[in-house]
């Protein structure tokens, strides 16, 4: 028999997820001797001695049997030749490895064992206790103030373990064989946080037990009241999902939220199984420890009577999530088996409240009563939102359950730290540590004070978690838009840290993120299709339908949508009719356009009706066909073309939330058949740049609408496919010409399934490789990652 000694170093998210007890028990079973050392941020080191085959067995099992929530980035094994003999297997005291990796996991949904304990009436300390947790479940990111991850550096410090009960919490925490050994966020009904009920006037509604609290909550919700329920990463507004009146009431109270969809929480997956066609990947994700909101497509055949039409008006998908904390399960125990609206509790455009006073303050006109707990939420984290295209994850909002996981870059980098501030709408920030990118939780639109402050707070918190010193920040990256508030922030930070600021073009940043997550080697180029609503172009115009020949070092713009005027600038974004009118005016002139506007009743869809149409036409006339001009920027945005088409096809007349016209167009198209309609989109080559002719496209659609045989849904379906095909076709041609093997799709329009699918199929059919997002958001929330990468190559050059 051959005995040997090995040193194993494991890096990744291996702390705070029950990883050490797992390693210990595994080694013990295989009769291995030696020790296990927790090296803090540097991961875990094991010295193991035993039979070669047992050591090999151990290494194999680490990967197969490890806790699902751990993440191993690197596992290195080397044989040790010295002859030290170990008689035992032990866990050695922690060593503080500094600054090599962050090993904090995200917030983890309550596990099955804890759920069982919570429902076991014989376990008095845990029975119906919503804050139950263990070493492999419970909150992490939202409660941790600093690393290394320990109870003292979390908001649980206010709740010292009790020494009552059998076993006591203190005993469970210190017993290596207990599944709560070193679990930092657990507590029991004796020593832990608790829920209280409050009425609209912030007065406590006193109840003798959690059972009575839940009963009252359920009764009120079933009566049609709107509850504010504080949870893991913030507060939610909760109400019935099958009652039109209740949802209309919620929309009215929210003010600006006229039709933005609400997410629904369901007690279990069975109740939607017959109505939504869940793929294996969707099922896997919705039930995973991350518990995100997953957008599911309605099955066309059956109607799901549990949901009011008011939940997601005009859309072909609805967002669902499963319970992830004890309180959710307990609520359903009392409310019954039906979906509930479960939406972030914030006034429009302001970050969700996390502190009880803030919650009372923000929600006084929104909630009828409050169910709040007394644990501090250190970092806000909304529920994550995503949809699945075939088996790939398209993150829309990357927050709870994902943050602070990182993206390892596919090349060696030895830079201690850098910061990217993101774009302006749908923002995340990001921090670089060596070769790892750590995006912050989703922040959203930062044009108001509160959200902007929360971006700064999230960035500084991430920097602190990563233990990056001020002197270690080597550069700041931001968007190329000179007027963005995040660009100003980047300049301030750069001067504070005394480093350079690198503005990175918006669509190039999208492509860079895509390249990194697809592990493109440093010397390779790809063709990136970058399609979205708006990004500042190098020529000062509004870009958004771009085909970029890209390397990590830079890009060439070799294709884009034709420039169209946006008469009145940003007003075109809010009122799709304005965008349609701009394109029609540019191509047909005033007289001809007036006739068409009359047929469309276009003035009806402008805020100030006839007056606004008059003003719009005179603005156009005074520019004398010279664009861009004052108040008439030029745009190659895909989003604006989708808006215009969505309007012409009657899917959307006003944008009340980001992406609404495009999403409604997708909803309409999902019912149509593209084969019933004839539509071709053409392009021209101008100085080596392909330009997709969107003028002719709009005129063709107006022609199609004249024939009643062409239904709007069929035209919508055909248009989405054709648009995807033109991008694909040009990208393939560019790739062939430059000997490139990979074409990728990124930007917010990539969320549109049929558009993406056409591009993917065309690229694969042409024998090239298709790159898509699976780890970072295709939309603007993914931009900060790309900015860091773009900045890195500027810094290194
Ligand atoms: Zn658990
Ligand atoms: Zn206790």
């Amino acid at each position: 028999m051959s005995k040997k000694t090995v040193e194993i170093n494991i890096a990744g998210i291996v702390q705070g997820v029950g990883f050490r007890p797992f390693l210990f028990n595994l080694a013990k079973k295989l009769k291995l001797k030696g020790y296990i050392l927790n090296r803090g941020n540097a991961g875990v080191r094991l010295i193991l001695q035993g039979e070669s085959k047992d050591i090999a067995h151990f290494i194999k099992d680490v990967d197969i049997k490890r806790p699902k929530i751990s993440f191993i980035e690197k596992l290195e094994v080397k044989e040790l030749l010295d002859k030290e003999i170990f008689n035992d297997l032990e866990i050695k005291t922690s060593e503080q490895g500094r600054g090599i990796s962050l090993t904090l996991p995200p917030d983890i949904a309550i596990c099955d064992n804890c759920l069982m304990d919570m429902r076991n009436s014989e376990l008095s300390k845990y029975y119906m206790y919503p804050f139950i947790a263990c070493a492999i479940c419970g909150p992490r990111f939202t409660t941790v103030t600093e690393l290394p991850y320990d109870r003292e550096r979390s908001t649980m410090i206010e709740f010292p373990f009790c020494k009552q009960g059998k076993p006591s919490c203190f005993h469970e925490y210190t017993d290596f064989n207990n599944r709560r050994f070193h679990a930092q966020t657990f507590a029991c009904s004796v020593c832990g946080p608790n829920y209280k009920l409050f009425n609209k006037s912030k007065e406590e509604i006193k109840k003798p037990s959690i059972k009575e609290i839940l009963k009252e909550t359920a009764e009120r919700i079933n009566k049609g009241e709107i509850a504010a329920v504080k949870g893991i990463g913030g507060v939610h507004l909760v109400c019935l999902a099958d009652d039109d009146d209740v949802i209309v009431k919620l929309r009215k109270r929210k003010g600006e939220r006229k039709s933005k969809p609400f997410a629904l929480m369901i007690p279990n997956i069975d109740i939607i199984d017959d109505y939504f066609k869940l793929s294996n990947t969707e099922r896997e994700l919705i039930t995973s420890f991350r518990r995100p909101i997953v957008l599911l497509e309605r099955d066309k055949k059956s109607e799901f009577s549990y949901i009011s039409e008011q939940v997601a008006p005009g859309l072909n998908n609805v967002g669902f999530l499963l319970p992830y904390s004890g309180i959710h399960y307990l609520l359903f125990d009392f409310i019954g088996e039906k979906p509930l609206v479960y939406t972030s509790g914030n006034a429009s455009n302001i970050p969700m409240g996390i502190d009880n006073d803030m919650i009372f303050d923000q929600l006084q006109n929104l909630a009828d009563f409050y169910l709040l707990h007394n644990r501090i939420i250190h970092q806000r984290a909304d529920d994550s939102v995503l949809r699945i295209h075939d088996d790939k994850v398209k993150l829309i909002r990357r927050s709870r359950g994902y943050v602070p996981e990182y993206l390892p870059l596919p090349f060696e980098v030895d830079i201690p730290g850098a910061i990217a501030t993101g774009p302006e709408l749908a923002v995340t920030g990001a921090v670089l540590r060596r070769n790892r990118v750590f995006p912050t939780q989703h922040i959203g639109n930062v044009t108001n004070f509160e959200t902007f402050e929360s971006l700064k707070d999230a960035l500084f918190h991430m920097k602190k978690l990563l233990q990056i010193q001020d002197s270690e920040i080597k550069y700041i990256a931001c968007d190329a838009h000179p007027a963005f508030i995040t660009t100003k922030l980047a300049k301030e930070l750069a001067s504070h840290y005394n480093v350079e600021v690198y503005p990175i073009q918006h669509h190039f940043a999208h492509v860079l993120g895509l390249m990194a997550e697809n592990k493109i080697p440093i010397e390779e180029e790809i063709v990136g299709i970058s399609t979205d609503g708006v990004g500042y172009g190098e020529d000062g115009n509004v870009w958004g339908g771009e085909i970029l020949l890209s390397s990590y070092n830079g890009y060439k713009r070799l294709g884009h949508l034709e420039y169209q005027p946006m008469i009145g600038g940003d007003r075109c974004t809010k009122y799709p009719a304005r965008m349609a009118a701009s394109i029609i005016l540019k191509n047909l002139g005033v007289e001809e356009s007036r006739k068409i506007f009359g047929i469309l009743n276009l003035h009806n869809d402008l805020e100030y009706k006839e007056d606004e149409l008059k003003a719009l036409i005179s603005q156009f006339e005074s520019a004398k066909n010279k664009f861009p001009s004052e108040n008439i920027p030029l745009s190659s945005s895909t989003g604006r073309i989708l808006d215009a088409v969505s309007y012409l096809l009657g899917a959307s007349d006003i944008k009340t939330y980001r992406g609404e016209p495009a999403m409604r167009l997708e909803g309409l198209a999902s019912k149509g058949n593209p084969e019933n309609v004839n539509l071709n989109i053409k392009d021209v080559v101008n100085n080596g740049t392909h330009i997709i002719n969107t003028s002719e496209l709009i005129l063709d659609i107006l022609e199609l609408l004249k024939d009643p045989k062409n239904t709007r849904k069929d035209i919508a379906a055909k248009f989405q496919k054709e648009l995807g095909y033109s991008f694909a076709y040009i990208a393939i041609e560019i790739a062939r010409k430059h000997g490139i093997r990979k074409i990728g799709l990124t930007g917010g329009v990539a969320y549109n399934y049929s558009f993406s699918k056409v591009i993917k199929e065309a690229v694969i059919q042409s024998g090239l490789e298709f790159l898509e997002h699976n780890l970072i958001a295709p939309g603007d929330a993914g931009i900060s990652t790309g900015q860091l990468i773009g900045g890195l190559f500027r810094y290194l050059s």
Side-chain angles (χ1 to χ4, degrees):
M1 290 280 200
S2 62
K3 256 196 190 331
K4 67 174 180 182
T5 310
V6 293
E7 178 186 311
I8 304 174
N9 286 296
I10 304 176
I13 297 177
V14 294
Q15 251 191 11
V17 289
F19 197 72
R20 276 186 308 149
F22 156 76
L23 291 175
F24 182 83
N25 289 322
L26 192 63
K28 205 171 173 187
K29 247 185 231 156
L30 292 163
K31 300 199 170 65
L32 300 174
K33 311 287 188 218
Y35 63 86
I36 297 171
L37 180 68
N38 182 5
R39 301 182 61 227
N41 275 341
V44 174
R45 172 174 295 160
L46 301 99
I47 304 293
L48 294 178
Q49 196 166 62
E51 302 295 335
S52 294
K53 67 166 178 28
D54 292 332
I55 289 174
H57 194 156
F58 176 87
I59 292 164
K60 215 173 98 195
D61 275 4
V62 167
D63 196 41
I64 300 170
K65 297 184 178 164
R66 67 187 163 84
K68 258 185 268 164
I69 48 189
S70 59
F71 164 71
I72 296 178
E73 188 189 335
K74 222 188 243 174
L75 187 153
E76 288 171 328
V77 185
K78 65 177 176 207
E79 194 166 346
L80 298 180
L81 298 173
D82 59 354
K83 296 276 183 259
E84 189 180 349
I85 301 291
F86 297 97
N87 296 315
D88 238 330
L89 181 69
E90 60 173 330
I91 289 206
K92 284 207 178 175
T93 347
S94 296
E95 178 186 285
Q96 296 262 350
R98 222 205 107 243
I100 298 168
S101 79
L102 173 94
T103 57
L104 182 70
D107 299 298
I108 302 160
I110 183 171
C111 75
D112 289 346
N113 285 326
C114 286
L115 209 50
M116 252 157 53
D117 284 355
M118 190 180 78
R119 285 179 163 149
N120 180 355
S121 57
E122 278 162 27
L123 269 178
S124 67
K125 64 185 268 200
Y126 291 132
Y127 182 55
M128 290 181 67
Y129 181 63
F131 296 92
I132 189 168
C134 71
I136 65 155
C137 82
R140 299 284 191 278
F141 174 71
T142 50
T143 53
V144 172
T145 53
E146 221 178 320
L147 286 182
Y149 175 50
D150 252 322
R151 190 132 174 141
E152 297 88 76
R153 284 173 285 274
S154 84
T155 59
M156 290 302 286
I157 191 171
E158 294 185 30
F159 307 99
F161 288 122
C162 66
K163 294 193 173 170
Q164 297 171 35
K166 275 182 190 157
S168 71
C169 287
F170 183 75
H171 182 89
E172 289 198 79
Y173 182 77
T174 45
D175 173 9
F176 194 76
N177 290 310
N178 191 289
R179 62 188 188 82
R180 297 197 169 90
F181 173 71
H182 274 212
Q184 310 298 359
T185 51
F186 91 97
C188 77
S189 55
V190 176
C191 60
N194 275 300
Y195 272 99
K196 279 182 182 168
L197 208 52
F198 299 88
N199 67 15
K200 226 176 152 42
S201 336
K202 308 183 198 179
E203 293 151 358
E204 189 185 344
I205 307 169
K206 289 221 166 77
K207 293 283 168 189
S209 64
I210 179 79
K211 189 175 168 188
E212 293 302 317
I213 288 178
L214 291 162
K215 235 170 92 183
E216 168 100 15
T217 304
E219 270 168 23
R220 283 169 174 254
I221 290 175
N222 276 330
K223 247 178 19 201
E225 290 193 14
I226 296 166
V229 181
K230 189 175 169 190
I232 302 288
V235 64
H236 290 90
L237 290 168
V238 183
C239 67
L240 295 175
D242 57 356
D243 188 329
D244 287 1
D245 294 344
V246 175
I247 296 170
V248 170
K249 176 168 82 179
L250 179 58
R251 288 203 182 282
K252 275 204 187 120
R253 288 184 185 179
K254 275 236 173 192
E256 280 182 45
R257 190 145 175 164
K258 292 196 177 65
S259 52
K260 192 174 178 186
F262 289 122
L264 303 182
M265 188 180 276
I266 42 170
N268 56 65
I269 197 95
D270 300 341
I271 73 163
I272 55 166
D273 230 5
D274 291 342
Y275 304 91
F276 292 82
K277 19 181 186 178
L278 266 81
S279 69
N280 287 340
T281 315
E282 284 166 343
R283 188 176 300 273
E284 210 173 279
L285 260 152
I286 203 170
T287 57
S288 75
F289 73 86
R290 303 182 193 280
R291 297 289 156 90
I293 295 167
V294 179
L295 300 188
L296 296 175
E297 202 175 321
R298 282 177 214 235
D299 191 323
K300 287 170 201 167
K301 277 165 284 174
S302 45
E303 265 315 309
F304 186 53
S305 61
Y306 280 121
I307 307 177
S308 154
E309 265 308 306
Q310 295 298 324
V311 165
L315 305 185
N316 61 326
N317 48 41
V318 182
F320 288 103
L321 84 163
L322 284 169
Y324 54 87
S325 137
I327 193 69
H328 303 147
Y329 284 96
L330 291 171
L331 271 178
F332 281 114
D333 286 349
F334 285 80
I335 284 175
E337 293 224 327
K338 56 185 168 192
L340 290 174
V341 168
Y342 225 92
T343 186
S344 297
N346 58 328
S348 287
N349 291 324
I350 289 176
M352 162 176 70
I354 50 178
D355 145 297
N356 290 2
D357 286 335
M358 224 165 106
I359 292 171
F360 282 131
D361 214 40
Q362 249 202 60
L363 302 185
Q364 53 179 334
N365 297 319
L366 291 167
D368 293 311
F369 68 105
Y370 303 82
L371 179 58
L372 306 180
H373 62 68
N374 56 338
R375 178 167 70 199
I376 294 169
I377 297 172
H378 185 67
Q379 278 292 299
R380 177 185 293 106
D382 285 278
D383 296 322
S384 293
V385 185
L386 54 89
R387 64 188 286 188
I388 308 285
H389 287 182
D390 300 321
D391 58 343
K392 296 286 202 230
V393 179
K394 304 299 167 197
L395 282 156
I396 296 165
R397 190 161 75 191
R398 184 185 178 279
S399 247
R400 180 192 47 78
Y402 285 87
V403 186
E405 283 182 4
Y406 56 85
L407 178 79
L409 295 177
F411 36 78
E412 287 304 315
V413 185
D414 198 25
I415 285 174
I419 291 174
T421 56
E424 195 163 80
L425 306 171
V427 168
T428 66
V431 178
L432 181 77
R433 182 62 156 157
R434 309 280 173 215
N435 76 328
R436 294 166 175 174
V437 174
F438 294 82
T440 67
Q441 66 269 47
H442 193 90
I443 305 294
N445 178 347
V446 293
T447 52
N448 61 54
F449 176 77
E450 290 88 347
T451 29
F452 182 59
E453 286 301 304
S454 86
L455 170 66
K456 287 199 275 187
D457 177 60
L459 275 170
F460 294 139
H461 180 64
M462 191 63 90
K463 172 177 173 284
K464 181 175 164 198
L465 276 184
L466 293 165
Q467 296 168 343
I468 300 175
Q469 309 304 312
D470 285 5
S471 61
E472 291 181 310
I473 298 286
K474 295 300 169 195
Y475 65 90
I476 309 290
C478 63
D479 198 274
H481 200 306
F484 274 0
I485 190 162
T486 47
T487 303
K488 287 177 193 149
L489 171 64
K491 285 180 184 158
E492 278 167 33
L493 292 175
S495 99
H496 177 78
Y497 297 121
N498 198 18
V499 294
E500 290 284 312
V501 45
Y502 300 119
I504 307 298
Q505 200 281 326
H506 191 98
H507 303 95
F508 180 48
H510 274 303
V511 177
L512 287 169
L514 182 71
M515 288 173 72
E517 77 155 284
N518 283 283
K519 299 192 171 15
I520 300 300
I522 214 157
E523 62 290 342
E524 199 173 328
E525 284 182 309
I526 74 155
V527 177
I529 300 170
S530 200
T531 49
D532 65 2
V534 47
Y536 186 81
E538 255 176 83
D539 56 3
N541 292 323
V542 179
W543 291 11
E546 314 304 314
I547 304 177
L548 308 177
L549 175 63
S550 306
S551 72
Y552 286 113
N553 278 302
Y555 70 95
K556 280 194 196 105
R557 187 191 195 204
L558 294 184
H560 60 87
L561 292 185
E562 176 188 354
Y563 279 130
Q564 297 291 357
M566 289 171 72
I567 303 173
D570 265 352
R571 275 190 83 72
C572 287
T573 312
K574 179 137 195 205
Y575 295 93
R578 265 194 102 98
M579 193 63 221
S582 300
I583 301 175
I584 294 169
L585 276 168
K586 171 188 147 187
N587 288 287
L588 299 178
V590 173
E591 215 158 300
E592 198 56 26
S593 296
R594 271 194 217 276
K595 289 182 205 157
I596 293 170
F597 297 161
I599 297 167
L600 293 170
N601 268 321
L602 190 129
H603 63 279
N604 264 338
D605 302 312
L606 299 173
E607 190 177 11
Y608 302 106
K609 314 294 171 198
E610 278 296 353
D611 289 349
E612 185 168 347
L613 184 58
K614 260 186 219 154
L616 189 151
I617 292 173
S618 86
Q619 262 181 305
F620 170 78
E621 282 176 319
S622 58
K624 297 196 172 70
N625 275 322
K626 282 210 174 71
F627 311 117
S629 70
E630 209 196 332
N631 284 323
I632 312 185
L634 279 176
S635 166
S636 60
S637 153
T638 312
R640 293 299 79 77
I641 294 300
L642 293 173
D643 290 354
V645 174
S646 183
Y647 171 71
L648 292 175
L649 297 181
S652 185
D653 50 19
I654 178 170
K655 185 175 90 168
T656 66
Y657 59 90
R658 206 167 133 78
E660 180 178 10
M663 284 159 74
R664 284 180 179 261
L665 180 70
E666 192 181 0
L668 176 68
S670 71
K671 301 183 199 114
N673 179 359
E675 305 311 319
N676 293 341
V677 173
N678 226 335
L679 178 72
N680 288 304
I681 301 178
K682 299 176 196 75
D683 71 282
V684 292
V685 183
N686 191 348
N687 284 331
T689 306
H690 293 256
I691 295 166
I692 298 175
N693 189 331
T694 49
S695 290
E696 221 173 289
L697 164 69
I698 295 294
L699 300 182
D700 285 350
I701 287 176
L702 288 172
E703 270 313 299
L704 286 170
L705 281 169
K706 285 183 186 161
D707 183 346
K709 274 198 309 241
N710 298 318
T711 64
R712 287 161 192 262
K713 57 185 183 186
D714 288 346
I715 302 174
K718 178 68 172 184
F719 158 71
Q720 287 188 160
K721 273 189 89 164
E722 261 306 298
L723 187 66
Y725 185 72
S726 4
F727 275 109
Y729 157 82
I730 295 169
I732 292 166
E733 209 165 284
I734 293 171
R736 288 211 174 111
K737 195 172 157 199
H738 293 84
I740 282 157
R741 303 292 313 153
K742 291 167 188 162
I743 293 174
L745 174 64
T746 181
V749 185
Y751 291 120
N752 182 310
Y753 180 59
S754 63
F755 174 80
S756 312
K757 199 174 164 194
V758 170
I759 297 179
K760 183 177 184 170
E761 283 173 359
V763 169
I764 293 171
Q765 233 168 49
S766 72
L768 300 173
E769 194 183 318
F770 181 70
L771 308 176
E772 62 186 306
H773 286 291
N774 188 45
L775 298 170
I776 62 172
D780 281 6
I783 288 251
S784 55
T785 297
Q787 290 174 348
L788 273 182
I789 300 165
L792 174 67
F793 283 82
R794 295 267 292 274
Y795 176 77
L796 294 173
S797 69

CSV table of all heavy atoms in Angstrom, one decimal, residues 300-316:
chain,number,residue,atom,x,y,z
A,300,LYS,N,-50.1,29.4,-24.5
A,300,LYS,CA,-51.2,30.0,-25.3
A,300,LYS,C,-52.5,29.4,-25.1
A,300,LYS,O,-53.6,30.0,-25.2
A,300,LYS,CB,-50.8,30.0,-26.8
A,300,LYS,CG,-49.7,31.0,-27.1
A,300,LYS,CD,-49.2,30.8,-28.5
A,300,LYS,CE,-47.8,31.3,-28.6
A,300,LYS,NZ,-47.1,30.9,-29.8
A,301,LYS,N,-52.5,28.1,-24.8
A,301,LYS,CA,-53.8,27.4,-24.8
A,301,LYS,C,-54.7,27.6,-23.6
A,301,LYS,O,-55.9,27.7,-23.7
A,301,LYS,CB,-53.6,25.9,-25.0
A,301,LYS,CG,-53.4,25.5,-26.5
A,301,LYS,CD,-52.8,24.1,-26.6
A,301,LYS,CE,-51.3,24.2,-26.3
A,301,LYS,NZ,-50.6,23.0,-26.2
A,302,SER,N,-54.0,27.7,-22.4
A,302,SER,CA,-54.8,27.7,-21.2
A,302,SER,C,-54.7,29.1,-20.5
A,302,SER,O,-53.7,29.8,-20.6
A,302,SER,CB,-54.4,26.6,-20.3
A,302,SER,OG,-53.0,26.6,-20.2
A,303,GLU,N,-55.7,29.4,-19.9
A,303,GLU,CA,-55.7,30.7,-19.1
A,303,GLU,C,-55.5,30.3,-17.6
A,303,GLU,O,-56.0,29.3,-17.1
A,303,GLU,CB,-57.0,31.5,-19.3
A,303,GLU,CG,-56.8,32.5,-20.4
A,303,GLU,CD,-55.5,33.3,-20.3
A,303,GLU,OE1,-55.3,33.8,-19.2
A,303,GLU,OE2,-54.8,33.4,-21.3
A,304,PHE,N,-54.8,31.2,-17.0
A,304,PHE,CA,-54.5,30.9,-15.6
A,304,PHE,C,-55.3,31.8,-14.7
A,304,PHE,O,-55.0,33.0,-14.6
A,304,PHE,CB,-53.0,31.2,-15.4
A,304,PHE,CG,-52.4,30.8,-14.1
A,304,PHE,CD1,-52.6,29.6,-13.6
A,304,PHE,CD2,-51.7,31.8,-13.4
A,304,PHE,CE1,-52.1,29.2,-12.3
A,304,PHE,CE2,-51.2,31.4,-12.1
A,304,PHE,CZ,-51.4,30.2,-11.6
A,305,SER,N,-56.4,31.3,-14.1
A,305,SER,CA,-57.4,32.2,-13.5
A,305,SER,C,-56.9,32.8,-12.2
A,305,SER,O,-57.5,33.7,-11.7
A,305,SER,CB,-58.6,31.3,-13.3
A,305,SER,OG,-58.3,30.3,-12.4
A,306,TYR,N,-55.8,32.3,-11.7
A,306,TYR,CA,-55.3,32.9,-10.4
A,306,TYR,C,-54.8,34.3,-10.6
A,306,TYR,O,-54.5,34.9,-9.6
A,306,TYR,CB,-54.1,32.0,-9.9
A,306,TYR,CG,-54.5,30.7,-9.2
A,306,TYR,CD1,-54.0,29.5,-9.7
A,306,TYR,CD2,-55.2,30.8,-8.1
A,306,TYR,CE1,-54.3,28.3,-9.1
A,306,TYR,CE2,-55.6,29.6,-7.4
A,306,TYR,CZ,-55.1,28.4,-7.9
A,306,TYR,OH,-55.4,27.2,-7.3
A,307,ILE,N,-54.5,34.7,-11.8
A,307,ILE,CA,-53.8,36.0,-12.0
A,307,ILE,C,-54.7,37.0,-12.7
A,307,ILE,O,-55.2,36.7,-13.8
A,307,ILE,CB,-52.5,35.8,-12.8
A,307,ILE,CG1,-51.7,34.7,-12.2
A,307,ILE,CG2,-51.8,37.1,-12.9
A,307,ILE,CD1,-50.5,34.4,-13.0
A,308,SER,N,-54.8,38.2,-12.1
A,308,SER,CA,-55.5,39.3,-12.7
A,308,SER,C,-54.7,39.7,-14.0
A,308,SER,O,-53.5,39.7,-14.0
A,308,SER,CB,-55.6,40.4,-11.7
A,308,SER,OG,-55.7,41.6,-12.4
A,309,GLU,N,-55.5,40.1,-15.0
A,309,GLU,CA,-54.8,40.7,-16.2
A,309,GLU,C,-54.0,41.9,-15.9
A,309,GLU,O,-53.1,42.3,-16.6
A,309,GLU,CB,-55.9,41.1,-17.2
A,309,GLU,CG,-56.2,40.0,-18.3
A,309,GLU,CD,-55.0,39.5,-19.0
A,309,GLU,OE1,-54.2,40.3,-19.5
A,309,GLU,OE2,-54.7,38.3,-19.0
A,310,GLN,N,-54.3,42.5,-14.7
A,310,GLN,CA,-53.6,43.8,-14.3
A,310,GLN,C,-52.2,43.5,-13.9
A,310,GLN,O,-51.5,44.5,-13.6
A,310,GLN,CB,-54.4,44.5,-13.2
A,310,GLN,CG,-55.8,45.0,-13.6
A,310,GLN,CD,-55.7,46.0,-14.7
A,310,GLN,OE1,-54.8,46.8,-14.7
A,310,GLN,NE2,-56.6,46.0,-15.6
A,311,VAL,N,-51.8,42.3,-13.7
A,311,VAL,CA,-50.5,42.0,-13.2
A,311,VAL,C,-49.4,42.3,-14.2
A,311,VAL,O,-48.4,42.9,-13.8
A,311,VAL,CB,-50.4,40.5,-12.8
A,311,VAL,CG1,-48.9,40.1,-12.6
A,311,VAL,CG2,-51.2,40.2,-11.5
A,312,ALA,N,-49.6,41.9,-15.4
A,312,ALA,CA,-48.6,42.2,-16.5
A,312,ALA,C,-49.3,42.5,-17.8
A,312,ALA,O,-49.3,41.7,-18.7
A,312,ALA,CB,-47.7,41.0,-16.7
A,313,PRO,N,-50.0,43.7,-17.9
A,313,PRO,CA,-50.8,44.0,-19.0
A,313,PRO,C,-50.0,44.0,-20.4
A,313,PRO,O,-48.9,44.6,-20.4
A,313,PRO,CB,-51.3,45.4,-18.8
A,313,PRO,CG,-51.0,45.7,-17.3
A,313,PRO,CD,-49.9,44.8,-16.9
A,314,GLY,N,-50.6,43.3,-21.3
A,314,GLY,CA,-50.0,43.3,-22.7
A,314,GLY,C,-48.8,42.4,-22.9
A,314,GLY,O,-48.2,42.4,-23.9
A,315,LEU,N,-48.3,41.7,-21.8
A,315,LEU,CA,-47.1,41.0,-22.0
A,315,LEU,C,-47.3,39.5,-22.1
A,315,LEU,O,-48.4,39.0,-21.6
A,315,LEU,CB,-46.1,41.2,-20.8
A,315,LEU,CG,-45.8,42.7,-20.5
A,315,LEU,CD1,-44.8,42.8,-19.3
A,315,LEU,CD2,-45.2,43.4,-21.7
A,316,ASN,N,-46.4,38.8,-22.7
A,316,ASN,CA,-46.6,37.4,-22.9
A,316,ASN,C,-45.9,36.6,-21.8
A,316,ASN,O,-45.9,35.3,-21.8
A,316,ASN,CB,-46.1,36.9,-24.3
A,316,ASN,CG,-44.6,37.1,-24.5
A,316,ASN,OD1,-44.1,38.1,-24.0
A,316,ASN,ND2,-44.0,36.3,-25.2
